Amino acid sequence: MPRTSKNTAKTAGGRAGVRSRNLFDALDAKPFRLSRSKIELFLECPRCFYLDRTLGIDRPDGPPFTLNSAVDALLKKEFDIHRKNGEPHPLMTQYTLPLVPFDHPELDTWRENFKGVQYLHASTNLLICGAVDDIWVDDSGKLFVVDYKATSSGKEISEATLRGSYRRQMEMYQWLLRRNGFTVSDTGYFVYVNADRDRAAFDGKLEFSAQIISYAGSDDWVEQAISDAHACLCRSNAPGTGAECDWCRYREAARKVNV
Ligand code: SF4
């Protein structure tokens, strides 16, 4: 029986609202690009991951995090001033970290969405990628992955309150940099900025306090997650859900009333 691409059949006719690009095809010899966030989607719900990466059906986007993106961009600019001077940012000094922002010709690429740090995972032919916020380095050349986070919370933010997805994000970047030949510490840092919501008035500005949260990661899970995600992509039918979520509850409710 001739081997046919499942996506040729799936996308034939150009269904409205269905993406026809960046779909996994097991018969394509070209590496398939898989971002860190899509691996996170797989871990959250294999069904949604399958619908997205093999059928071109994206989960509805939430509202864009434009304020967080603005904070990220400004933090990058601020740390870049100190990177250029080869000196620690004052926040790093406050936390007595014997590190400086890492300067590397590829850093801008590593930070860019849709590029990022890349590694071809040979056994699955998946090109794994992830865009880092920052990297710091010690005297010996060991790298420390850094992620910027912005929030507005009256609660204490600490290592114990970090979301699982944030931890995995850090660990995936550590894994990617290691696969690119760098020595990377298990310790990574979250630069957390927290907007003060107790001011008397807005007055056209937000005031943030900044803290560094140290996190000891382990990338032991990454290889297995990539293999499992690849096996999911190669399926001929969609797997079950891995999560209870509002979107599927909505679909289920609509199906029950035949709309
Ligand atoms: S449960 Fe949610 S995440 Fe999973 S397939 Fe349904 S919509 Fe997607």
Side-chain angles (χ1 to χ4, degrees), residues 7-83:
N7 289 330
T8 306
K10 283 172 178 170
T11 58
R15 294 165 297 168
V18 176
R19 198 183 70 248
S20 59
R21 299 181 59 206
N22 302 327
L23 299 179
F24 178 77
D25 183 344
L27 301 179
D28 192 343
K30 279 205 309 287
F32 182 71
R33 187 181 175 77
L34 194 63
S35 69
R36 174 209 71 77
S37 58
K38 295 302 177 189
I39 294 173
E40 183 63 28
L41 176 62
F42 165 72
L43 294 172
E44 190 185 315
C45 181
R47 185 177 183 83
C48 230
F49 171 75
Y50 184 89
L51 292 174
D52 176 330
R53 292 294 91 185
T54 80
L55 298 177
I57 302 168
D58 296 340
R59 192 160 72 177
D61 285 333
F65 292 113
T66 45
L67 284 178
N68 298 62
S69 299
V71 171
D72 266 26
L74 291 171
L75 280 171
K76 280 177 183 162
K77 283 187 195 171
E78 188 173 309
F79 274 88
D80 282 352
I81 294 168
H82 300 282
R83 190 183 327 280

Side-chain angles (χ1 to χ4, degrees), residues 85-103:
N85 296 336
E87 64 191 16
H89 181 285
L91 193 61
M92 298 162 78
T93 306
Q94 184 188 324
Y95 280 78
T96 61
L97 298 177
L99 310 171
V100 291
F102 184 46
D103 201 6

Side-chain angles (χ1 to χ4, degrees), residues 187-233:
T187 299
Y189 297 102
F190 290 94
V191 174
Y192 239 108
V193 295
N194 193 358
D196 183 1
R197 48 169 73 192
D198 293 328
R199 296 172 60 232
F202 175 46
D203 285 336
K205 63 183 175 197
L206 288 172
E207 282 179 2
F208 291 88
S209 57
Q211 67 183 109
I212 294 177
I213 296 175
S214 164
Y215 170 64
S218 164
D219 66 11
D220 287 356
W221 59 274
V222 174
E223 283 283 343
Q224 189 62 51
I226 292 170
S227 298
D228 292 347
H230 181 253
C232 180
L233 291 170

Side-chain angles (χ1 to χ4, degrees), residues 36 72 76 83 102 104 106-118 129-136 143-148 169-178 180 184:
R36 174 209 71 77
D72 266 26
K76 280 177 183 162
R83 190 183 327 280
F102 184 46
H104 189 280
E106 293 290 305
L107 186 64
D108 286 344
T109 305
W110 292 344
R111 286 171 141 180
E112 203 176 319
N113 283 336
F114 308 112
K115 290 189 177 168
V117 186
Q118 302 190 355
C129 56
V132 291
D133 281 341
D134 207 345
I135 302 169
W136 298 343
L143 304 188
F144 296 73
V145 174
V146 178
D147 204 67
Y148 306 144
Q169 182 179 12
M170 174 77 69
E171 291 160 350
M172 180 60 91
Y173 296 148
Q174 292 172 343
W175 181 88
L176 278 166
L177 285 164
R178 286 181 182 127
N180 276 267
V184 182

